[in-house]
């Protein structure tokens, strides 16, 4: 049988929050002990599933001939739309979609319709992976193909104005002030159009599901997901089971970047396959299937109009976005959000336009909205700087938003000016020649660019459980997931501090719906919510211990008031007289208590009173959420060298400075910023999925052909954080850094390319053909 | 992937006989091309004959140049002192290719026979004349960003050989030694080894069924020593060339006595440019000469919607490579 991951060996030194503690799960990972969702290979009778997908992007299935495949040895089941066991709910209607929380309003294998290339049309189960693959190749699918639509750019595509985009979360049209009039009257007017290639998340670990029906009404799913609770909700709704009947486990994740933030069709298809064969079934998506199974960042065009004074003060921002969506959903990432709030501008308007095409629904991908939105605003601000003769940094300071003008709320905290100043100093920004196209290194053109980053702290909450043992160790549990970014590590540190233990005495468990509920690890919420819930749970433990002490005749604290007692170094004592008190271990032993459990609820907008572990379990500021706008901020500085003859762009220097509240671990945080910046450099210079215009099918669905940066593309990166104490966001004062790390990156690169060459490339990625001027930008 | 048989051959004769008699059989060396093609169902083979034990090894100096056994690994050849010092373009073409892991596995013979990266060829869901003769070429109207501008036909515009090594081999008149099932060897200049697509893009080389590549020989000359391979790509490593140039020059007192030029990434086969060589030979080693040579090399290029940039890029690549060798 498969066992839970072993107790971590942690570094017993250097434990406290903020310290660069090595990853507690590092050893498990490099020794192969860490079990990913497709590695539960000892489940009794485990068999393998393979998806058969559609070659064409549009049509109707006329017949599926499984006779050849069925004859192959080891084949156990072939499910198609003709025999998929019926589900209680599907996302095919809006109500079902909402109940399930599905990212896409269509479930394959529920009809004979083909809506996108790569859509699953059958799932084949066999006793070995190779036999399943072979059988899948033998399934003959006849599809009456129709001419598909590939994108909003197709002349036949019908553009429409959605009321809402992003699954109802963002208005299709927003107006603040009087933008049209303000723009018309503005002395300086800029209108620019930005286009973005399709991007795919491509986490190292592909989507994977291992489904095990332990009883007809009891299912365990080992799933590569950013949220076990969300998966549990999706599956229990589709299957007509109670939530408790579905257990979802995700002990380790090899990256997600948003594509594992929702439950996509392959998961429930695997569950149904397991039901059909009466054995545990495992499915791991192939790399090509990763391009058509878990969403993508949509192809899009943005037009941004900037109206400003001659001095460069913003008067109006008018933003329009046109993008491709699926036949069923109105999904568009919310680009306008960051454009509305990044600067002090009195008038703003945003409009989203969509066109349906034969593609699956796009989804959130690292910094959804903020990433492309920041590209538009931060390139245009650069243009404005040149236009009015200001340094790019000065134009940003001139328009600095001292509050959130999009909501008219004060910031809970904002240290952007410090980020600019420190970044400029580290980078040597003052040495930059203000003129574009003037700096050379031999044949190469040298450019320096910068851009602002910002990302919201999303409203969220979660729970945790802490069990402290009298012998001085603790078990801490929450149903969060660790994307591979360090959640295990930082939460161990938080718990160790809150309990006055060293990290090696803390066992932290996550990734299981049996544990207290935590939010999806997405939208950069995990660090803040999970750390806060653990902190609160530890406070609950201390409150219980204090209560025990003041009721214990033998305790020096007998009959003291709880409010008069404080905790320090694991010792409870009177605030007024610290000599009067005792150690928790002594108290628990005397009371024959081996362990004590506390629970905590970490909430957005429930800020901390005092920074460290001791304190009241009752955190104040319950209304902070309503009163403040909460964001992380940062700045990226980039140097590029461009070969004007070959069109190649290489990033040669990089500085990122961020302010994101409390930083839980200097090392994992630095890694996050580096990772996000590299993600952004990929988007800026090379990432591009090509959808053939006639076939609506991708032509480069592999990691050999879809380029992401390699080590040689990345210089030594300098990362710093500005110390920031935000008493409003959550109990730990943590804002999260997973996404802000890539916001503004593409703009910083594009601005550097402009500074190097004098050529503005507004079409991502900035590939050699565009630098050479052969492809329209 | 289909079921297939696998066997290791210890004698060339055993290997060639199997592959001659079974049209579905294939040799496997490093497997870095072949297994990809099989996994994607682009090629189906009944049996694989492992040729790694065959004695086609050695990186040696011969009377007139260099001899490399077909089973040598890309990394070993690229790092070999003889190749590094006397055939730098060949060394660079190997070490700038793929990744260290792949170079450690991949053989010289297999490299020469790698297949196109055309996205339509690589996905059996698309029509493709090269994969399914007569089915059409969607690249003509579709995504042709990475495809060829020289030697194309209405049937196919793929860079049939997308790699690097053969570009250098074509520049320096390498000769392949081939051996058939009768044990008979023949020598084919690599410039005659690859075929233009014409109306039969599925036929890529002159290799006969069952024939093995045994060795590669390259004559040495002043220009092989004074040579370089320049590769341009979107990322710094681990990518195929958008354009590349293998060049060698013999220069005396500022005048070019002999020149060798080949381009990669732009032709339907590794593209030897005798036109460029003609312009260079006897001319002063100046930028103006290089530009004229580059223009000559690209004359007749037929770009399409997405690969128009290659006309300029290939010329600039060639000029930079020439500048590099004159120093
Ligand atoms: C991700 C990736 C990136 C790459 N990047 C590059 C690059 O940048 N530049 C580059 O040049 N290449 C690149 N390659 C291609 C790589 O160089 C080739 O795959 C490799 O050289 C093939 O050698 P092999 O020994 O593995 O061949 P195999 O896969 O074993 O064989 C390839 C073909 O040749 C046949 N064959 C092999 N040896 C012989 C022989 N002696 N006689 C007759 N037939 C034979 C086989 O039957 C098969 O058809 C890349 C490959 C991959 C997968
Ligand atoms: S260019 Fe050649 S390989 Fe590519 S699709 Fe056309 S025929 Fe096939």
């Amino acid at each position: 049988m498969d066992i839970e991951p072993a107790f971590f060996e942690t570094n017993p030194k250097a434990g406290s929050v903020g310290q660069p503690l090595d990853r507690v799960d590092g050893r498990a990972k490099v020794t192969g002990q860490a079990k990913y969702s497709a590695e539960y290979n000892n489940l009794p009778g485990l068999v393998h599933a393979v998806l058969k997908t559609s070659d064409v992007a549009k049509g109707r299935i006329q017949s599926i001939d499984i006779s050849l495949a069925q004859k192959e040895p080891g084949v156990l089941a072939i499910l198609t739309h003709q025999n998929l066991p019926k589900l209680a709910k599907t996302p095919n209607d809006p109500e079902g979609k909402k109940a399930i929380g599905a990212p896409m309003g269509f479930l394959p294998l529920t009809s004979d319709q083909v809506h996108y290339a790569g859509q699953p049309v059958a799932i084949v189960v066999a006793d070995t992976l190779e036999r399943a693959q072979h059988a899948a190749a033998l399934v003959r699918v006849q599809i009456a193909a129709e001419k598909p639509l590939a994108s909003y750019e197709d002349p036949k595509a019908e553009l429409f104005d959605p009321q809402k985009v992003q699954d109802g979360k963002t208005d299709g049209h927003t107006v603040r002030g009087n933008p049209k009039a303000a723009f018309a009257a503005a002395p300086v007017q800029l209108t620019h159009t930005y286009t973005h290639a399709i991007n795919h998340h491509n986490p190292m670990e592909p989507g994977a599901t291992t489904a095990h029906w332990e009883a007809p009404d009891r299912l365990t799913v080992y799933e590569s997901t950013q949220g076990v609770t969300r998966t549990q909700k999706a599956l229990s709704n589709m299957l007509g089971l109670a939530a408790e009947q579905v257990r979802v486990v995700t002990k380790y994740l090899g990256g997600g970047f948003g594509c594992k933030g929702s439950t996509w069709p392959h998961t429930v298809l695997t569950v149904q396959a397991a039901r059909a064969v009466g054995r545990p079934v495992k499915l791991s998506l192939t790399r090509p299937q990763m391009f058509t199974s878990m969403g993508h960042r949509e192809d899009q065009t943005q037009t941004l109009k900037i109206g400003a004074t001659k001095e460069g003060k913003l008067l109006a921002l008018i933003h329009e976005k046109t993008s491709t969506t699926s036949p069923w959903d109105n999904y568009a990432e919310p680009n306008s959000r960051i454009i509305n709030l990044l600067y002090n501008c009195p008038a703003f308007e945003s409009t989203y336009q969509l066109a349906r095409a034969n593609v699956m629904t796009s989804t959130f991908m690292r910094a959804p909205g903020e990433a492309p939105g920041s590209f538009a605003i931060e390139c245009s601000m650069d243009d404005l700087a040149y236009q009015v003769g200001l340094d790019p940094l000065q134009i940003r300071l001139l328009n600095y938003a001292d509050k959130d003008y999009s909501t008219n709320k004060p910031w809970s905290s904002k240290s952007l000016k410090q980020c600019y100043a420190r970044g400029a100093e580290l980078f040597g920004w003052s040495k930059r020649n203000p003129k574009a196209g003037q700096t050379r290194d031999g044949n190469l053109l040298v450019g320096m660019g910068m851009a602002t980053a910002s990302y919201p702290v999303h409203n969220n909450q979660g729970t945790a459980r802490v069990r402290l043992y009298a012998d001085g160790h603790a078990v801490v549990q929450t149903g969060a997931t660790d994307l591979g970014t360090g959640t295990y590590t930082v939460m161990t540190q938080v718990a160790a501090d809150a309990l006055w233990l060293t990290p090696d005495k803390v066992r932290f468990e996550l990734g299981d719906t049996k544990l207290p509920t935590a939010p999806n690890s997405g939208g950069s919420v995990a660090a803040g919510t999970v750390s806060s819930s653990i902190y609160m749970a530890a406070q609950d433990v201390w409150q219980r211990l204090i209560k025990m002490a003041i009721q214990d005749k033998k305790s020096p604290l007998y009959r003291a008031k709880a409010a008069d007692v404080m905790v320090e170094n694991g010792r409870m004592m009177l605030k007024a007289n610290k000599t009067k008190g005792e150690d928790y271990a002594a108290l628990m032993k005397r009371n024959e208590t081996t362990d004590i459990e506390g629970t905590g609820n970490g909430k957005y907008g429930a800020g901390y009173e005092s920074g460290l572990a001791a304190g009241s379990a009752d955190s104040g500021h319950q209304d902070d959420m309503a009163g403040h706008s909460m964001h992380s901020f940062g700045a990226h500085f980039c140097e590029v060298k461009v070969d004007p003859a070959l069109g190649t762009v290489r990033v040669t220097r990089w500085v990122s400075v961020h302010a994101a509240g409390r930083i839980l671990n200097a090392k994992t945080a630095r890694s996050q910023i580096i990772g996000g910046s590299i993600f952004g450099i990929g988007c800026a210079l090379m990432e591009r999925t090509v959808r053939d215009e006639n076939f609506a099918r991708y032509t480069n669905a592999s990691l050999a052909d879809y380029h992401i940066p390699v080590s040689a593309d990345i210089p030594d990166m300098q990362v710093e954080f500005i110390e920031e104490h935000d008493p409003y966001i959550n109990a730990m004062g943590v804002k999260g850094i997973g996404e802000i790390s890539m916001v503004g990156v593409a703009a910083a690169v594009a601005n550097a390319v402009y500074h190097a060459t004098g050529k503005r490339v507004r079409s991502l990625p900035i590939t050699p053909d565009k630098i050479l001027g052969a492809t329209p930008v | 992937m289909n079921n297939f048989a696998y066997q290791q051959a210890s004698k060339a004769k055993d290997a060639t006989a199997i592959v001659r008699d079974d049209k579905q059989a294939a040799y496997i060396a490093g497997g870095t091309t072949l297994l990809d093609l099989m996994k994607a169902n682009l090629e189906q083979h009944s049996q694989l004959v492992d040729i790694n034990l065959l004695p086609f090894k050695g990186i040696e100096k011969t009377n007139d140049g260099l001899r490399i056994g077909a089973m040598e690994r890309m990394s070993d050849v690229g790092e070999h002192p003889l190749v590094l010092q006397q055939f730098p373009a060949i060394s660079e073409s190997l070490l700038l290719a793929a990744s260290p892991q792949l170079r450690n596995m991949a053989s010289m013979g297999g490299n020469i026979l790698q297949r196109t990266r055309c996205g339509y060829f690589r996905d059996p869901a698309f029509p493709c004349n090269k994969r399914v003769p007569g089915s059409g070429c969607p690249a003509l109207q579709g995504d042709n960003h990475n495809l060829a501008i020289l030697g194309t036909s209405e049937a196919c515009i793929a860079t049939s050989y997308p790699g690097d090594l053969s570009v250098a081999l074509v520049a320096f008149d390498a000769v392949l030694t081939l051996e058939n099932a009768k044990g008979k060897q023949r020598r084919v200049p690599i410039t005659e080894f690859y075929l233009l697509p014409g109306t039969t893009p599925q036929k890529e080389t002159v290799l006969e069924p069952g024939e093995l590549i045994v060795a590669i020989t390259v004559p040495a000359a002043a220009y092989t020593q004074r040579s370089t391979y320049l590769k341009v790509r979107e990322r710094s490593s681990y990518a195929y060339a958008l354009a590349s140039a293998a060049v060698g020059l013999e220069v005396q007192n500022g005048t070019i006595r002999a020149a060798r030029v080949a381009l990669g990434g732009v032709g339907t086969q590794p593209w030897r440019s005798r036109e460029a060589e003609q312009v260079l030979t006897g001319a002063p080693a100046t930028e103006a000469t290089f530009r004229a040579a580059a223009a000559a090399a690209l004359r007749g290029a037929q770009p399409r919607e997405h690969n128009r940039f290659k006309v300029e890029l290939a010329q600039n690549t060639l000029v930079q490579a020439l500048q590099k060798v004159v120093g």
Side-chain angles (χ1 to χ4, degrees), chain A residues 93-311:
Chain A
D93 56 87
E95 222 170 281
K97 187 185 175 205
K98 192 152 186 242
I100 296 162
M104 183 161 86
F106 171 70
L107 184 69
L109 269 67
T110 56
S111 83
D112 59 359
Q113 294 294 320
V114 172
H115 294 288
Y116 58 95
Q119 174 186 320
V121 292
I123 179 165
V124 180
V125 187
D127 57 353
T128 69
L129 175 62
E130 292 75 13
R131 283 172 158 176
Q133 286 170 333
H134 183 53
L138 294 177
V139 172
R140 295 276 169 260
V141 186
Q142 284 285 342
I143 299 173
E146 295 163 45
K147 178 105 180 67
L149 278 174
S151 81
Y152 67 89
E153 290 178 295
D154 191 307
K156 291 210 194 74
E158 288 172 24
L159 297 171
F160 66 98
D161 299 317
Q163 276 217 317
K164 298 264 185 188
V165 291
Q166 204 203 4
D167 266 342
K169 290 194 202 81
T170 300
D171 288 333
H173 186 220
T174 308
V175 186
R176 178 165 60 79
N178 196 344
K180 286 202 174 75
F183 179 77
V188 177
Q189 299 177 346
L190 301 177
T191 301
H192 291 301
T193 297
Y194 301 86
T195 60
H196 300 251
I198 300 159
N199 279 186
H200 275 85
H201 312 71
N202 274 317
M204 215 186 307
E205 179 206 19
T209 305
T210 305
H212 184 195
W213 287 93
E214 285 159 353
D217 59 354
R218 210 150 47 81
L219 172 70
T220 297
V221 177
Y222 306 90
E223 173 74 358
S224 182
T225 176
Q226 289 170 231
V228 291
T229 306
R230 203 180 270 190
T231 307
Q232 178 190 47
K233 173 183 162 189
L235 287 176
S236 56
N237 269 291
M238 284 192 272
L239 299 165
L241 295 174
E244 310 79 67
Q245 291 170 301
V246 178
R247 179 182 172 202
V248 180
V249 178
T250 308
K251 289 296 172 188
Y252 296 95
L253 210 61
F257 311 119
C259 76
K260 295 175 183 169
S262 320
T263 308
W264 296 98
H266 66 272
T267 305
V268 72
L269 295 179
T270 309
V271 167
Q272 292 295 70
R275 172 132 65 186
V277 300
R279 294 165 75 166
V281 170
K282 160 165 121 177
L283 172 91
S284 186
L285 295 172
T286 65
R287 187 57 66 181
Q289 285 171 354
M290 283 300 289
F291 286 79
T292 49
S293 299
M294 305 182 83
H296 54 273
R297 199 192 293 280
E298 65 264 16
D299 38 325
Q300 51 191 287
T301 295
Q302 313 178 70
T303 299
L304 183 61
K305 289 189 158 90
I306 288 193
T309 66
K310 279 203 193 67
E311 295 72 37

Side-chain angles (χ1 to χ4, degrees), chain A residues 55 134 137 643 645-646 648 650 686 688 690 692 694-695 697-699 703-705 707-708 710 712-713 767-769 772 774, chain B residues 1-2 41 117 119-120 123 125-127 138 141-143 145 232-239 242 309 312-313 316-317 320:
Chain A
D55 288 352
H134 183 53
D643 187 320
L646 306 181
T648 46
R650 300 288 180 248
M686 58 192 87
R688 169 177 64 120
V690 182
D692 180 89
N694 299 307
F695 293 83
R697 187 178 172 90
Y698 296 123
T699 62
L703 285 184
D705 302 300
H707 288 167
I708 56 171
V710 295
D713 292 308
T767 42
D769 50 320
L772 292 175
Chain B
M1 181 126 100
N2 287 301
N41 271 321
R117 296 303 309 186
Y120 301 99
D123 178 352
F126 285 113
Q141 311 304 328
D143 170 21
H145 185 266
V232 183
R233 41 197 165 166
E234 282 162 19
R235 63 178 172 191
S236 306
S237 167
Y238 203 20
L242 290 173
F309 71 100
E312 184 187 349
L313 178 61
N316 293 347
T317 305
Q320 276 199 14

Side-chain angles (χ1 to χ4, degrees), chain B residues 116 118 120-121 127-131 136-139 147 155-158 201:
Chain B
T116 183
C118 172
Y120 301 99
F121 171 82
C128 164
N129 284 332
K130 189 186 271 301
R131 188 165 28 75
C137 173
L147 303 186
C156 179
I157 56 171

Side-chain angles (χ1 to χ4, degrees), chain A residues 396-416:
Chain A
R396 288 167 169 88
L397 291 171
L398 181 69
N399 290 288
Y400 197 81
D402 48 358
K403 64 174 179 180
D404 179 349
Y405 286 87
S406 74
T407 56
N408 212 18
K409 285 183 192 172
W411 304 111
S412 62
S413 63
K414 178 174 182 177
S415 315
L416 179 57

